[in-house]
């Protein structure tokens, strides 16, 4: 299978999702529009589209003029029956693509947080291995309304739209299920001052928080990643496509 991955800023990391894609033998083509404005040219060469997080808002078109095109691209993939995944900012762009309202600076969630799976979520392939609640890493302040026709799959007390699905396999996750302990540890180093500013005392509390929550969160994140990968339907065209952007 061939998957297009869109990175919205440096150091986002693909973590558990990358592990699941590697297990499946997927070929990843990386796009970094924050650097060169490049995006996939349509969906024909790809079986799935993944859009990662970022520091900007989903409607910050003035500073990031590629965002409208990315939103349109996510919808094109989804309308074509391809698997689509938006994580954090990616979920906010996906919500925008399908007609939802983006709500900026509404509420902040940071750190490992309990997420509740809805009744619809328990019946969804993404959460087939779950019962009701799981811990996962959060890092956001924006949110969105539920897009028309979307099914809410997971929620928290602060942010009801934590995960949704549209159609067969178009998913948005506000939480960072890809952020396993390895990724969070990297973020601690790469964004040390920023994290201390938004969550005073974070670095001091981190060892205990990791010891308490990371193992269960990593297990949940990898289960979600593997479940999403199972939704991808490889095509003959993508299997034979030439690769020009394969790198992590």
């Amino acid at each position: 299978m061939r998957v297009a991955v869109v990175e919205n800023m440096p150091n986002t990391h693909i973590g558990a999702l990358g592990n699941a894609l590697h297990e499946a033998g997927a070929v990843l083509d990386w796009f970094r529009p924050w650097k060169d404005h490049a995006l996939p040219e349509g969906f024909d060469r790809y079986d799935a589209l993944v859009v990662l997080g970022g520091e900007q808002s989903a409607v910050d078109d003035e500073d990031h003029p590629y965002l409208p095109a990315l939103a349109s691209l996510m919808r094109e993939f989804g309308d074509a029956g391809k698997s689509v995944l938006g994580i954090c900012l990616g979920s906010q762009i996906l919500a925008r693509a399908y007609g939802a309202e983006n709500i900026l600076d509404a509420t902040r969630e940071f750190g490992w947080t309990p997420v509740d799976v809805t009744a619809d979520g328990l019946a969804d392939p993404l959460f087939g291995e779950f019962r009701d609640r799981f811990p996962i890493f959060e890092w956001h302040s924006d949110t969105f309304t539920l897009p028309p026709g979307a099914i809410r799959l997971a929620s928290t007390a602060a942010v009801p739209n934590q995960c949704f699905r549209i159609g067969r396999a178009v998913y948005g996750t506000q939480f960072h299920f890809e952020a396993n302990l390895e990724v969070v540890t990297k973020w601690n180093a790469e964004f040390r001052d920023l994290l201390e500013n938004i969550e005073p005392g974070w670095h001091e509390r981190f060892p205990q928080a990791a010891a308490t929550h990371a193992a269960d969160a990593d297990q949940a994140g990898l289960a979600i990643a593997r479940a999403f990968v199972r939704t991808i339907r490889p095509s003959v065209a993508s299997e034979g496509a030439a690769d020009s952007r394969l790198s992590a």
Side-chain angles (χ1 to χ4, degrees), residues 78-102:
D79 290 350
K82 305 292 181 85
S83 293
V84 178
L85 174 64
I87 300 174
C88 198
L89 171 62
S91 73
Q92 297 159 9
I93 300 171
L94 182 63
R96 170 186 178 174
Y98 280 89
E101 177 188 357
N102 291 102

Side-chain angles (χ1 to χ4, degrees), residues 217-239:
D218 285 6
Q219 181 179 3
L222 185 57
I224 294 169
R226 287 169 170 164
F228 173 74
V229 171
R230 287 194 293 270
T231 73
I232 301 174
R233 296 174 175 173
S235 64
V236 174
S238 70
E239 289 172 359

Side-chain angles (χ1 to χ4, degrees), residues 6 11 24-25 50 61 85 93 98 113 120 134 137 139 143 152-153 165 172-173 178 181-183 187 205 210 212 245:
V6 177
N11 302 324
V50 172
D61 298 352
L85 174 64
I93 300 171
Y98 280 89
T113 303
D120 286 326
F134 61 94
F137 201 82
W139 183 3
T143 185
R152 182 184 291 114
L153 305 179
R165 191 193 83 238
T173 68
E178 86 291 3
L181 180 59
E182 179 182 0
V183 169
W187 283 345
R205 295 193 304 273
T212 302
R245 291 181 172 269

Side-chain angles (χ1 to χ4, degrees), residues 89-167:
L89 171 62
S91 73
Q92 297 159 9
I93 300 171
L94 182 63
R96 170 186 178 174
Y98 280 89
E101 177 188 357
N102 291 102
I103 304 170
L104 308 185
D105 296 319
T107 184
R108 183 176 63 81
E109 292 180 303
F110 181 82
W112 285 286
T113 303
V115 172
D116 293 307
V117 183
T118 67
D120 286 326
L122 291 173
D124 190 272
L126 204 67
F127 297 105
E129 298 182 18
F130 292 76
R131 295 181 179 178
D132 49 10
R133 173 175 284 196
F134 61 94
I136 211 74
F137 201 82
E138 300 267 12
W139 183 3
H140 72 99
S141 59
D142 295 348
T143 185
F144 47 82
T145 60
L146 192 68
I151 300 172
R152 182 184 291 114
L153 305 179
S155 63
T156 64
V159 178
N161 297 321
Q162 286 287 338
C163 182
F164 65 89
R165 191 193 83 238
I166 296 173

Side-chain angles (χ1 to χ4, degrees), residues 7 19 34 39-40 46 67 83 102 109 118 181 188 231 242:
E7 182 185 77
N19 294 339
W34 58 268
L39 291 172
Y46 299 101
L67 287 173
S83 293
N102 291 102
E109 292 180 303
T118 67
L181 180 59
N188 281 348
T231 73

